[in-house]
Amino acid sequence: MAERPASRVTSEALFERASQVIPGGVNSPVRSFRSVGGHPYFVARGEGAYVWDADDNRLLDFVQSYGASILGHAHPAVVRAVARAAERGTTFGAPTEAEVDLAEAIRARVPGCEMIRLVSSGTEATMSAIRVARGFTGRDRIVKFDGCYHGHSDGLLAGGGSGVATLGLPDSAGVPAGAVADTVVAPYNVVPELDERVACVIVEPVAANMGLVPPAEGFLEGVRAACDAVGALLIFDEVITGFRLGEGGAGAHTGVVPDLWCFGKVIGGGLPVGAFGGRADVLGVLAPLGPVYQAGTLSGNPLATAAGLAVLDQLHPDAYADLSVRVTEFGARFAQVLNDALVAGSVTDVEGRNLTARVPVVGPLFGLFFVPEGEPDVVDYPGASASAATGLYARMFRAMLDRGVALAPGPYEIAFPSMAHGEEEMTMALEVASAAADEVLAG
Ligand SMILES: *Cc1c(COP(=O)(O)O)cnc(C)c1O
């Protein structure tokens, strides 16, 4: 069993200090714990599957920087690669060999991704891929799916209204209506109707920012065909799924090949990185070859490329397969433990319907939803929202954190077990889940 954190006084004091100088005390809103209650733990260090907070409590970490740390924290190969790179200089503003190595490593693993440009975040990758698609097609309109997250650029911060495709509304204050005027928001898992105004469709091939929602059978194939029919480009936002679902990412996992890919998280080995790539003729529109401008002072940064290469070097098909087996077994038992507790506690939603737990697993990723008995699994954003509204994720989150297991602090997030999450860790997580469920669901 994991140990119960004895004290959080240092984290509390740090959060108090942070809140005086950083809006909300955090540099990315989900870290604030607003949607689960309480205050965040501050991390002092991490190793493998674990982090230690500022009060030296050990936490079994399923956040892993939202998937950026697929090998677990402070993997020796990554630490060594970054240290060696730092000794040679951290940024030059001139090309380096490691950039070529990383682009080649990506191309070698992702069939169809012929040319790659490196950037410094997933947000930059999606924003730039869309600019490329617009430049290539000469069209303005883009289609995204409700509940998919593609970073925080203006044009992609658009929310949907109803269950049909609609022109997007700004999903954040500060985003002008004009910035999303060419963004259509469509329901996930429904093939949208396109016309010849559409430059591109951008999709998370496995949605992982509204909980974990796998693509319905035929969905990605249908989107591919719809794009082809009108000459629109298909963009896979693989910032989470890239090098996570397997070496070839979601493209290889699902058999559907997009025109453009966006990567981030895993390929930076925990350093700020992103990449977008695709067909050579499409990437040919980028400056300096073509008219589409895109640039970055720290793009292809030596530390980031060193870390990314070190990570890709450690990832082999067997490692993915082993982790996926552990996570699949865990997922089934996790659902069982939660469902037993929900029955014992006769837990219902506001309409009095019995709630059940659903633990979707795709490759080594797992999610957690609470759905009324007899209802199908969550397939879209309204379903994910209904699950979040039960409040049960937040309660499980807190009860597990109190017992030393850190899930992501929000009901729309998913869990990112790393290669360092072995049998021992998954067993510990299950024991903790069981005790937590007994307290907050059965009790
Ligand atoms: C995290 C994420 C992004 C944004 O990446 P940042 O590095 O946070 O800018 C884009 N798309 C998806 C699918 C993501 O999960």
Side-chain angles (χ1 to χ4, degrees), residues 121-123 149-151 204 209 237 239-240 265:
S121 69
T123 295
Y149 178 68
H150 304 294
E204 285 185 78
N209 284 286
D237 179 352
V239 170
I240 283 180
K265 299 192 169 111

Side-chain angles (χ1 to χ4, degrees), residues 28 65-66 120-126 148-152 202-206 208-209 237-241 262-265 272-274 413 416:
S28 198
S65 195
Y66 294 89
S120 297
S121 69
T123 295
E124 270 185 86
T126 55
C148 285
Y149 178 68
H150 304 294
H152 62 91
I202 184 165
V203 62
E204 285 185 78
V206 174
N209 284 286
D237 179 352
E238 296 223 46
V239 170
I240 283 180
T241 54
C262 302
F263 299 112
K265 299 192 169 111
V273 113
E413 310 302 333
F416 298 94

